[in-house]
Amino acid sequence: MNIFKILQDIEKTDAEVYDRLSSRRKAMSSFGSMGKKVALAAVPLAMGSMFKKAYGQSTNSVLDVLNYALTLEYLEYNFYDQALKSSGLNLGANRDFFTEVRNNELAHVNFLKAAISGAGGTPVSEPTFDFSANNTFSDWNTNLQTFLALSQAFEDTGVRAYKGQATNLVSNSDVLTAALQIHSVEARHAAVVRRIRGLKGWITNDERGAGMPSQTQAVYDGEAQTTQAGINVPQISGISAAGVSESFDEPLDMATVNSIAGLFIKK
Amino acid sequence: MTKQSKPVENGEGLSKHLQSPMQRRTFFRYASASAAAATILLTTSCDDDDDDMTPPTSGVDLGSGDSGILNYAYALEQLEAAFYTAVVAQSGSALTTAEMQVMMDLKNHEVAHREFFKAALGQKAIPALEVNFSSINFNDKNSVLQTARTFENLGVAAYNGAGKLFTDTGVGLDYLVLAGKIVSVEARHAAAIDDMISGGNRFGEEFIDSNGLDRALMPADVLSAAAPFISTKINFSNLPK
């Protein structure tokens, strides 16, 4: 990929592109410094965020977002389905709950596949999962605590993932509304799993919560925000920073979610 | 290529945006829609014996466009905040310590939401609404929890339905994200309340359809469900449709 060529092409179409980006030099230097940190494969992603900055639009099409959501739903569905079928996992009184959750996730899978096909797209194929994440969580389907911790991580990730894509769906009101309707179901799941684990149903600051493996911290990074739309909410409301952080769930971008989910997908 | 409006990347100056000329343009866009909507509402409104119903063009006006939707959310957050404030003040003997802890959290969250919307709306904010909790027995656990259940599930459906009503460029995108940040917290509340009521990990399954989708309701339905708890009449006829 030749970034200079692409920028030249954009220049021909839109002479003001550098005003939008502040300057060409700055655009290039951001790429330069980025190059030290990210692999070449991530450059298209960086281009995407640059265009978003320049034009206030996302390069993610609605179909891309739906397929991204489908991958996450495949992950959740398979996680619960395999756990429910694992003879070594004693879910006890929670079996009914996780059966309901599994059924919701399967419904999401089928709904998204139909939505993608209906819009003329091709649903991504179902990945093969490794919920041990290369033996990081090797007892995930025999140890209830490990299973519950991963469940919490997946549900809290799901909430952030859908939230992060809402603005990429505004061109289609029906899809946007459906995504919001799935988003709140994931939040319901998350709250109850957290309560089963003895936590509050909501996320305090950016805490992953007692008993959560340190590898799940990426799910909670960035959740401690207390300034919303430029308003310092603790200051104007008199509610503590911890309470305010609980009151607003934060979105997560596609790249971060993919890096979390990618740990559980066989390459 | 025409210049497109830039997004407000960090959301700063939200209230300034609400006062901006863009918003006036938005207002005119919706003003023409409101007349037709008012007609529909008038033809579908009250039974003869229902003198509680007021023509939708009177009462506190939520306004139009994005700020109208924010006022709609502000109205619902006022209702929830007032409810949990009353629960925390009055229901101590009816609830266990653990249940009261949840209610205190919910009160804090809803007050934070309410004050956030008030600040974001600035001059456009509707006044404080008068609530009517005469049907709630704050000394009865069941009455308190069932009311909480009603409010939380209504809140989830309201935000889910309102997402598509924001303008789909510029600052409207920021509002959509903000509504998203709040609706998942309302959904967490709804599930926690159901979990408490059932004592058995329920999460409001009856609000989820066979496609695994939560409810999404439009303002007319939401405000009609909330009306028994709000004395102040609300005019929502200028909201985006």
Side-chain angles (χ1 to χ4, degrees):
Chain A
M1 150 187 267
N2 184 338
I3 293 166
F4 286 96
K5 174 75 167 57
I6 292 171
L7 286 174
Q8 275 166 15
D9 289 348
I10 296 171
E11 260 181 289
K12 282 178 204 153
T13 322
D14 176 11
E16 291 169 330
V17 62
Y18 299 118
D19 295 338
R20 303 179 200 277
L21 285 164
S22 66
S23 77
R24 173 176 178 135
R25 195 163 55 182
K26 204 164 166 198
M28 289 320 296
S29 76
S30 350
F31 272 113
S33 59
M34 225 181 276
K36 289 168 200 150
K37 287 177 237 156
V38 299
L40 192 64
V43 169
L45 210 81
M47 290 294 285
S49 67
M50 187 183 87
F51 288 133
K52 186 170 181 180
K53 190 176 174 189
Y55 300 105
Q57 284 182 340
S58 169
T59 50
N60 293 326
S61 74
V62 169
L63 280 174
D64 289 341
V65 173
L66 291 176
N67 266 318
Y68 162 75
L70 176 58
T71 302
L72 296 177
E73 297 292 351
Y74 275 139
L75 183 149
E76 289 184 311
Y77 164 67
N78 277 276
F79 173 69
Y80 294 114
D81 196 53
Q82 291 181 29
L84 286 162
K85 288 170 179 164
S86 167
S87 55
L89 185 66
N90 183 8
L91 291 166
N94 299 317
R95 178 164 285 273
D96 286 353
F97 168 70
F98 286 110
T99 303
E100 291 271 6
V101 172
R102 187 266 316 267
N103 294 348
N104 284 165
E105 310 299 8
L106 178 59
H108 295 162
V109 165
N110 291 330
F111 178 81
L112 290 168
K113 279 163 81 173
I116 292 163
S117 303
T122 308
V124 288
S125 52
E126 189 162 4
T128 305
F129 295 99
D130 167 23
F131 295 112
S132 81
N134 213 7
N135 290 322
T136 310
F137 309 106
S138 53
D139 62 351
W140 78 273
N141 58 356
T142 52
N143 182 332
L144 182 63
Q145 293 313 315
T146 309
F147 165 77
L148 291 174
L150 285 184
S151 169
Q152 178 186 319
F154 290 151
E155 297 298 341
D156 278 334
T157 300
V159 174
R160 298 190 72 178
Y162 276 97
K163 203 189 314 295
Q165 295 307 314
T167 57
N168 293 325
L169 300 175
V170 291
S171 62
N172 187 323
S173 289
D174 291 339
V175 172
L176 172 64
T177 301
L180 289 169
Q181 290 174 281
I182 296 178
H183 169 245
S184 60
V185 171
E186 303 294 342
R188 289 175 185 267
H189 295 168
V192 172
V193 175
R194 296 175 62 89
R195 287 171 56 84
I196 290 172
R197 294 192 65 257
L199 300 178
K200 291 179 175 186
W202 25 94
I203 300 164
T204 309
N205 301 318
D206 59 357
E207 296 162 14
R208 60 182 184 270
M212 287 295 281
S214 59
Q215 294 94 332
T216 63
Q217 185 55 38
V219 176
Y220 299 95
D221 286 342
E223 276 284 0
Q225 201 166 316
T226 56
T227 294
Q228 298 292 348
I231 294 164
N232 181 329
V233 184
Q235 197 171 69
I236 55 129
S237 67
I239 304 300
S240 70
V244 170
S245 75
E246 292 171 352
S247 323
F248 295 86
D249 279 339
E250 298 301 322
L252 210 52
D253 63 88
M254 200 181 271
T256 309
V257 170
N258 281 338
S259 75
I260 293 169
L263 300 173
F264 303 93
I265 296 175
K266 277 191 183 165
K267 299 297 180 293
Chain B
M1 182 179 276
T2 53
K3 219 169 194 173
Q4 302 190 30
S5 63
K6 278 187 178 177
V8 180
E9 280 168 21
N10 57 7
E12 271 174 32
L14 190 91
S15 29
K16 203 162 67 190
H17 265 276
L18 285 174
Q19 323 294 339
S20 74
M22 270 298 284
Q23 293 302 315
R24 253 176 277 142
R25 203 165 64 198
T26 312
F27 170 78
F28 288 120
R29 192 173 125 204
Y30 289 115
S32 55
S34 67
T39 315
I40 295 164
L41 285 161
L42 281 167
T43 54
T44 58
S45 58
C46 15
D47 296 332
D48 288 342
D49 57 349
D50 189 351
D51 53 10
D52 267 358
M53 293 287 284
T54 310
T57 46
S58 74
V60 169
D61 187 358
L62 297 180
S64 62
D66 288 334
S67 59
I69 299 301
L70 295 186
N71 262 326
Y72 167 54
Y74 177 41
L76 295 175
E77 298 294 350
Q78 285 193 42
L79 175 63
E80 288 186 306
F83 170 67
Y84 292 112
T85 300
V87 169
V88 168
Q90 299 174 44
S91 304
S93 58
L95 302 174
T96 66
T97 311
E99 288 163 345
M100 185 49 95
Q101 181 58 55
V102 170
M103 293 297 155
M104 286 163 69
D105 277 2
L106 268 49
K107 174 195 163 188
N108 287 341
H109 301 169
E110 308 301 3
V111 168
H113 293 165
R114 181 190 67 196
E115 295 306 306
F116 165 75
F117 280 117
K118 187 180 179 186
L121 279 155
Q123 294 176 338
K124 293 209 170 186
I126 55 169
L129 299 175
E130 204 178 312
V131 294
N132 174 6
F133 293 153
S134 59
S135 65
I136 305 164
N137 179 354
F138 286 95
N139 295 313
D140 177 66
K141 180 196 305 215
N142 191 51
S143 177
V144 167
L145 294 181
Q146 289 297 338
T147 308
R149 183 171 185 273
T150 299
F151 288 168
E152 296 297 346
N153 285 294
L154 194 60
V156 171
Y159 280 102
N160 281 348
K164 68 175 182 185
L165 301 178
F166 290 114
T167 50
D168 57 8
T169 53
V171 76
L173 297 177
D174 295 327
Y175 299 145
L176 173 61
V177 173
L178 275 162
K181 290 181 181 202
I182 292 175
V183 65
S184 55
V185 174
E186 305 291 350
R188 290 173 188 272
H189 293 171
I193 294 290
D194 231 38
D195 192 11
M196 285 161 65
I197 290 173
S198 67
N201 304 343
R202 306 294 290 175
F203 54 95
E205 290 91 323
E206 53 279 40
F207 295 101
I208 301 171
D209 71 16
S210 60
N211 286 318
L213 306 184
D214 216 320
R215 290 194 309 172
L217 292 176
M218 296 310 285
D221 296 322
V222 171
L223 290 171
S224 137
F229 303 99
I230 305 176
S231 313
T232 312
K233 294 297 172 199
I234 296 175
N235 170 10
F236 56 90
S237 64
N238 297 315
L239 291 183
K241 304 295 185 298

